[in-house]
Amino acid sequence: MSLNRRDFLKSSAAVAAASAVGIAIPQEAQAKAKEAESDWRWDKAACRFCGTGCGIMLATKEGRIVAVKGDPAAPVNRGLNCIKGYFNAKIMYGADRLKTPLLRMNDKGEFDKKGKFKPVSWQRAFDEMEKHAKKALKASGPEGVAVFASGQYTIMEGYAAQKMMKGGFRSNAIDPNARHCMASAVVGFYQTFGIDEPSGCYDDIEITDTIVTWGSNMAEMHPILWSRVTDRKLSNPDKVKVVNIQTYTHRTCDLGDFNIIFSPNTDLALWNYIAHEIVFNHPEAIDWDFVKENIVFTAGPANIGYGMRRAGEKSIKDGKYTKLEMETIDKEMSKKVSAKEAPALEPYGYKEGDVMKNTAGTLKHWHITFEEYKKSLEPFTLDYVAKIAKGDPNESIDSFKKKLKMLADLYIEKDRKVVSFWTMGMNQHTRGTWVNTLSYNVHFLLNKQALPGNGAFSLTGQPSACGTAREVGTFCHRLPADMMVKNPKHRAKAEKIWGLPAGTLNPVGNQHIMKIHRDIEDGVVKFAWVNVCNAYQDSASASHWIKAAREMDNFIVTSDGYPGISAMVSDLVLPSAMIYEKWGAYGNAERRTQHWRQQVLPVGDAMSDTWQWMEFSKRFTVKDLWGPSTLRNGKKMPDVRADAKKLGYNDDTTMYDILYANKGKEYKIDMNKFPQKGYDNSDCNGDSRKVLGGDGKEAKGCGFMVHEYLFEEYASFGRGHGHDLAPFEVYHKVRGLKWPVVDGKETQWRFNVKYDPYAAKAVKKSGSKSTHAFYGPLAKNLLQGTLTGPDKSKGKKALKDKAKIFARPYMDPPEMPDETYDTWLCTGRVLEHWHSGTMTMRVPELFRAVPEALCYMHPKDAKNKGVKRGELVWVESRRGKVKARVETRGRNRPPQGLVFVPWFDEKVFINKVCLDATCPMSKQTDYKKCAVKITKA
């Protein structure tokens, strides 16, 4: 048998693909595939893309990844990959891969913010970073040093970064791009359950009778999960129902039994309508035994604003915002109650025309009676909701009403199992926390939550937004395992585990990702480091932040594999090792933690982000960082240097020695032992490239198993506290485990006594006979009151092991179409490209498939605006404009009055147009709705 290399690869790929879908394979083809793979090394890993967490198999040969296939042993995807998944190898080998540090310099070789990028050594790069970080600390204290972190960090990278930021720099100005992705879901979990992350798992898909998607294009954003939904639907098409609730029609809608197109923001009203149907028209459907045993009713203030800049902030006073921009921003301070939202707000004490004075978002809420909750639902009749929520002007009101009634009936039907999935449609929302909590209301009333095949489930978008951003706690306000920087007991625990003096950790954690951008513009943050994300392409109202980065007195660093917009905006660019060039772990959207080993050496002089953080930490000592300082709010950070000496440190002890090497050396390198045997470990051992490190000498590695150390120390926060993780070595033997992992067994349905040992333990301790225990500890001691406020005279009420149903009204977003800006803009992704396109646009096959971002528009809107399919238009908001090509056919079909433009294309930089309003409670940016006008270019 004689085959050339191309035939080898084709044969092997064909056999792998056929095997994944169960096609019988001829013996000759099997033989060719076997010969082709004879000298390949196969190993398991996790996919680099979305939060689904698919398992993949990687083949390496001669130091290069040569093949990728779905892992048939992986329970998430069962051998399948989506189109992006099959190109996990090619994202690493783009022609413009960054291979050496680049610094802006003048002709004399000096740093110059207006200079051009020139190659420098790692030593020179860290010299500049050290100088500018110390300058920022001197000017602004701990709040002057910031990190744009990521839900794409590996668990070890995120934990390493957090330790240096919070334990070393004493700065909580580290926040992940996951803030844009799932923060509203997180605060919804906190407020509802007292603990983060979903109660169900992907197995619900095969068990349920009904799948309802809310603002989630699963067919393109989570295609492997959608393949499982499709299989479930086709397995019993008469019984299984699929309903899609969206602002425009897309590929997910193709499977729907019926689809509901609603007007942006009115998903709040839709959830309240279903609850109204249950409470007023089908009270017999309420499972009162479950509700009385497990649920309390709660409310919070309505006048929380929209998470925008507030009057008095420096850049507002300095005139950096135009009159047009201020038309929207002024609503942050006060707004007039509209006719559309007035009925929904009436139970809360507002009427049409009232001026609502807004107070910046609060998480406060209080206990109310069921009767008060029922009062909040009164306005949400079928007539009112249909009137405000119908999103397609060409659909009749009777048709829309019929669909709403059918939707409610599916939820209410006795013994019908229902899973509600959502993604960015509900999370990227100025009332994102509210709408997340509203989803649980319906499921709780019917006792259809935390049961196999029943539950509301947020589909988080990034590969480790759960594992690294949430569980590791790389948000500005968090610590690992749901602990909070503002809680002194939590800080004390972290200080003990990290070996820090008492009082080291900063209790003020308010520099979320949009505030970091605003603090750079205000001149507070003077050193910012972009890690594993594209912070200057992925932020709304992006022109402001790019201008601040380029023109103000600051130093911006980006670590990346490719030169995206953030790299081009920066002063220093560092080449990062990409996913399979390092050891790592991710946590997916169903609480599944997965690990992989380093498969190949990084290209050029690229180094992992973990290495970069450890190397940077060597530049800072106890004397540099642990003296006294004062925060903006007047809080005094104590001098802990004397206490550091009591722990055995001295003024010259480096943060590397304290935060990494101190305990890390307990974890030995043993290249003859699993899982290390046979695999490179550049961070620990160095490698054959002989890269010169931060000290100008060959980087020979840290000399201990840093990946195991970081993971095990992080895991120690959660073990015994409902976040239990298995040992490091175990994860290298299995295809992931869903935490909490107790006695070696994963948990499928949390809070359910039958499946969750923590729930069983709570019920046993309380002596109740409940089927559930919602044991999350956060916000379980509440004041009592009514819809209009708490009554402090009644004192607080303990709500141990209870979950909450929230009264939340419909409210308008801060910017809606008007006579000038007459069209809704929605943004998002497409199947072929990941986020800002930094990786996928480098894959020739994916680039050819979708080379540019299009402006998807209804044909009648195009005709009315005098443009044709394929022509260029300006998409313009109060903040800026971009040029895009019109598409009136195909995968995305907006109703009249709405356009959809994906954000992967840096040439169609749509985030310059978007509004940086956020959910005031979660601080998650609302990219899904702002007002634009469309004109022919």
Side-chain angles (χ1 to χ4, degrees), residues 346-367:
E346 189 275 331
Y348 299 83
Y350 297 95
K351 62 181 184 299
E352 182 182 351
D354 283 356
V355 175
M356 178 185 283
K357 293 198 176 296
N358 293 324
T359 302
T362 176
L363 299 176
K364 290 180 180 176
H365 54 280
W366 49 88
H367 181 69

Side-chain angles (χ1 to χ4, degrees), residues 64 85 96 103 171 190 208 298 333 437 446 476 550 553 617 632 764 811 865 905:
R64 191 176 175 93
D96 59 343
L103 177 68
S171 172
Y190 280 161
T208 194
T298 48
M333 278 53 76
T437 58
L446 301 169
C476 64
R550 291 303 313 128
D553 178 23
S617 72
R632 276 177 290 181
K764 184 178 180 180
M811 287 186 72
K865 296 178 186 303
D905 187 353

